[in-house]
Amino acid sequence: ALEQIQANVQANVPAGGQAQVRALSWGIDQHVFPGDYDLVLGADIVYLEPTFPLLLGTLQHLCGPHGTIYLASKMREEHGTESFFQHLLPQHFQLELAQRDEDENVNIYRAR
């Protein structure tokens, strides 16, 4: 996936812009990354319930005190996705539904 992400970044970051693509293992190596990002984006990363605490800890580390997180996710009942967004995330972040696609069953949440 990193090669595809790198290609997307190269195609969308203006010449002279700075962006870096690196792998991050939730709950393991987030501490090698800064802890004060203003913006964190995630898409389809909420899908395996045993990893939810690791993902939450990583998001808490990465998001600065004034940062915003946007997470887009297909709301798969079998993966416990709704539980993550309705019960776990709101315990640590101010959460709101930013957008919903009823046809695709995809939600975009904003967390601060």
Side-chain angles (χ1 to χ4, degrees), residues 11-32:
N12 291 289
V13 173
Q18 293 186 2
Q20 187 177 46
V21 176
R22 293 175 40 201
L24 183 150
S25 295
W26 301 334
I28 296 171
D29 63 358
Q30 71 268 16
H31 298 290
V32 300

Side-chain angles (χ1 to χ4, degrees), residues 95-110:
L95 186 70
E96 61 183 303
L97 179 63
Q99 190 165 346
R100 169 137 178 85
D101 183 326
E102 290 285 339
D103 295 334
E104 297 294 327
N105 193 27
V106 172
N107 289 355
I108 300 175
Y109 289 93
R110 178 177 28 250

Side-chain angles (χ1 to χ4, degrees), residues 2-15 17 19-21:
L2 287 178
E3 287 181 23
Q4 179 64 49
I5 295 168
Q6 184 65 46
N8 289 339
V9 167
Q10 288 175 346
N12 291 289
V13 173
Q20 187 177 46
V21 176

Side-chain angles (χ1 to χ4, degrees), residues 64-96:
H66 303 290
T68 300
I69 301 168
Y70 283 95
L71 297 175
S73 187
K74 188 156 186 100
M75 302 305 291
R76 294 179 178 94
E77 189 175 320
E78 66 275 14
H79 293 162
T81 308
E82 186 173 331
S83 176
F84 179 82
F85 288 108
Q86 298 302 317
H87 302 293
L88 189 58
L89 210 54
Q91 292 178 31
H92 305 276
F93 292 95
Q94 177 188 353
L95 186 70
E96 61 183 303

Side-chain angles (χ1 to χ4, degrees), residues 35-73:
D36 60 352
Y37 287 100
D38 293 325
L39 182 62
V40 176
L41 304 174
D44 262 344
I45 60 173
V46 180
Y47 53 84
L48 194 55
E49 202 162 354
T51 67
F52 289 178
L54 301 173
L55 174 56
L56 179 62
T58 299
L59 292 173
Q60 288 176 297
H61 172 77
L62 295 176
C63 189
H66 303 290
T68 300
I69 301 168
Y70 283 95
L71 297 175
S73 187

